[in-house]
């Protein structure tokens, strides 16, 4: 057994010895302290030394309502005393019922059925399995393939990882679930065609999905998985008309459209579900992160009545589930979080302030290292380049030295927690809590400006 006294003496060493951190190069901490965050308040987090940092990533695109919300903690405690756990396997409990109804109310069209998971990757896994079985139940047993976009991230389970469009993340775990195919994304900054015409580019990008469906054979394609704003690669928004064209294509070939809103739902773009921001109705929405503002884990696949219908007939059963899906405590926290959204107008706050956030970050364009600032709502990526005129990017060696060796560490040292990422071209991503205001935007811009100004001298 471990020694609890030893843990309290040196959290950093104990973390290195026993806590295997996610997506972490563990050797980095062999002779360096593990950053240890002990407290959060509003838009700030504090480490074990008492140092304050601006949470420029809302934890991990999660803490929408901000840190330190006693109301959410109290909702969890109250529910745990009343009914700490019961599964939704052939049984229901009040909070799961209420939350399912609440999600149906906010979802567009006839998306009225909520299948709960404990996180986003599980929600994506659920959606693919659901799409496969739906087609089998409706007389199309050969429709099993999925189409997603290059550089897109959809999660770590074997199916969700297959849908992910990041080869380096997949290589260690191959072979993965077969049947996942990729099309170009909507990064107009690096558009191979129509880079000066967003509508034409959007039409071209959407038409690549149709071409892939035709190439694979419409009788083999089950679903298309798309994020409203693609995360990996650095916040690619959809061009005008893109999702309307994708919806047409999916309808033409009897392919389900899955809106992967694990990041984009619950106010990140200023609407409860991001598909509303861009005016399309999917067949399934996958969501998680912001549903509870991170105060307890939960996810969901919100499914249209049309897709759910065959599962509600006769002996048909969706043989899929998770022990902690729809957990009573998480569901109670989610309901209280949605109460806060409505009471404080968090979605409208994002809509009212997104232009100011974009304008503040866009000041960074005067730096020679900043090539593009893009995104939507409170969700932005700042792409770094070696040459603005040619859009030349950095080599893998330069990314390693500049992004990991300097920029990432320096941003944190200077009091900003965010993401420096080279899944695709090198970017800094910022997505602060939805309670952020102009002072938050200014603080982000000033810290990023200082670090990137210094980084340019090291190229």
């Amino acid at each position: 057994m471990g020694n609890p006294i030893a843990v309290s003496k040196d959290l950093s060493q104990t973390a290195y010895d026993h806590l295997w951190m996610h997506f972490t190069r563990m050797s980095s901490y062999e002779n360096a302290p593990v950053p240890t965050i002990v407290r959060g308040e509003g838009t700030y987090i504090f480490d074990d030394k008492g140092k304050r940092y601006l949470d420029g990533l809302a934890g991990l695109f999660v803490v929408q309502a901000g840190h330190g919300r006693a109301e959410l903690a109290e909702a969890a405690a109250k529910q745990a005393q009343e009914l700490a756990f019961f599964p939704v396997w052939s049984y229901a409990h009040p909070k799961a019922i209420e939350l399912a109804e609440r999600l149906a109310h906010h979802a567009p069209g006839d998306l009225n059925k909520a299948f709960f998971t404990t996180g986003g990757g599980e929600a994506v896994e659920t959606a693919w399995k659901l799409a496969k079985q739906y087609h089998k139940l409706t007389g199309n047993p050969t429709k099993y393939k999925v189409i997603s976009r290059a550089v897109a991230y959809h999660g770590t389970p074997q199916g969700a990882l297959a849908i992910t469009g990041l080869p380096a993340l997949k290589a260690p775990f191959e072979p993965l679930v077969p049947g996942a195919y990729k099309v170009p994304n909507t990064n107009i900054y690096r558009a191979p065609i129509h880079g000066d015409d967003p509508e034409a580019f959007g039409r071209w990008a959407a038409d690549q999905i149709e071409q892939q469906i035709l190439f694979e054979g419409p009788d083999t394609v089950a679903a298309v998985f798309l994020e409203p704003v693609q995360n990996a690669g650095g916040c690619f928004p959809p061009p005008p008309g893109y999702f309307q064209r994708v919806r047409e294509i999916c309808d033409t070939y009897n392919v389900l459209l899955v809106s992967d809103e694990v990041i984009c739902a619950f106010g990140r773009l200023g609407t409860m579900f991001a598909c509303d921001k861009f005016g399309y109705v999917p067949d399934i929405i996958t969501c998680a992160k912001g549903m509870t503002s991170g105060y307890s884990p939960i996810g969901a696949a919100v499914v249209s009545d049309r897709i759910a219908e065959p599962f509600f007939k006769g002996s048909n059963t969706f043989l899929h589930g998770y022990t902690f899906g729809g957990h009573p405590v998480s569901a109670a926290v989610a309901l209280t979080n949605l109460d806060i959204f409505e009471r404080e107008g968090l979605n409208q706050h994002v809509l009212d302030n997104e232009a100011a956030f974009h304008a503040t970050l866009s000041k960074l364009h005067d730096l020679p290292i900043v090539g593009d600032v893009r995104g939507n709502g409170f969700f932005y990526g700042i792409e770094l380049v070696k040459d603005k005129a040619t859009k030349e990017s950095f080599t893998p060696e330069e990314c390693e030295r500049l992004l990991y060796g300097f920029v990432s560490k320096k941003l944190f040292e200077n009091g900003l927690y965010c993401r420096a990422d080279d899944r695709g071209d090198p970017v800094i991503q910022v997505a602060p809590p939805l309670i952020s205001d102009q002072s938050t935007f200014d603080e982000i811009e000033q810290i990023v400006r200082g670090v990137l100004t210094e980084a340019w001298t090291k190229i």
Side-chain angles (χ1 to χ4, degrees), residues 59 119 136 139 150-151 157 177 195 213-214 228 243 252 305 351 362 384 391 433 443:
K136 285 181 169 63
V151 196
V177 179
I213 291 171
L214 292 171
F243 274 109
T252 298
D305 288 336
L351 295 176
S362 292
L384 310 183
K391 302 183 183 178
E443 189 172 353

Side-chain angles (χ1 to χ4, degrees), residues 4-22:
I5 296 172
V7 170
S8 64
K9 280 184 178 175
D10 189 350
L11 284 174
S12 177
Q13 185 59 47
T14 306
Y16 178 74
D17 289 344
H18 300 294
L19 177 63
W20 197 334
M21 289 170 283
H22 299 198

Side-chain angles (χ1 to χ4, degrees), residues 66-87:
H67 296 277
R69 290 272 190 165
E71 186 179 351
L72 294 173
E74 287 159 7
K78 181 182 176 188
Q79 182 58 42
Q81 289 175 323
E82 192 173 288
L83 179 67
F85 174 75
F86 206 77

Side-chain angles (χ1 to χ4, degrees), residues 168-245:
L169 287 192
K170 299 192 288 185
F173 311 109
E174 290 173 331
L176 298 170
V177 179
Y181 299 89
K182 308 296 176 286
V183 294
N185 57 45
T186 60
N187 181 6
I188 194 167
Y189 181 66
R190 297 195 174 277
I193 188 171
H194 303 306
D196 57 349
D197 186 341
E199 278 195 42
F201 174 64
R203 177 75 184 212
W204 173 84
D207 284 346
Q208 301 313 297
I209 294 172
E210 182 176 43
Q211 292 304 310
Q212 191 68 38
I213 291 171
L214 292 171
F215 182 79
E216 294 300 327
D219 59 338
T220 71
V221 180
V224 173
F225 281 71
L226 303 173
E227 295 166 279
V229 174
Q230 182 175 317
N231 169 39
C235 305
F236 305 142
Y242 174 79
F243 274 109
Q244 288 67 33
R245 176 63 184 140

Side-chain angles (χ1 to χ4, degrees), residues 4-79:
I5 296 172
V7 170
S8 64
K9 280 184 178 175
D10 189 350
L11 284 174
S12 177
Q13 185 59 47
T14 306
Y16 178 74
D17 289 344
H18 300 294
L19 177 63
W20 197 334
M21 289 170 283
H22 299 198
F23 282 99
T24 299
R25 189 181 297 177
M26 292 301 294
S27 64
S28 301
Y29 297 117
E30 186 176 5
N31 298 302
V34 175
T36 304
I37 304 302
V38 299
R39 186 169 69 86
E41 183 181 322
T43 57
Y44 292 96
I45 51 176
F46 300 81
D47 68 15
D48 55 344
K49 307 290 192 296
K51 183 176 176 180
R52 188 181 81 164
Y53 306 83
L54 178 62
D55 184 356
L57 208 60
L60 197 61
F61 315 103
V62 169
V63 190
Q64 316 296 60
H67 296 277
R69 290 272 190 165
E71 186 179 351
L72 294 173
E74 287 159 7
K78 181 182 176 188
Q79 182 58 42

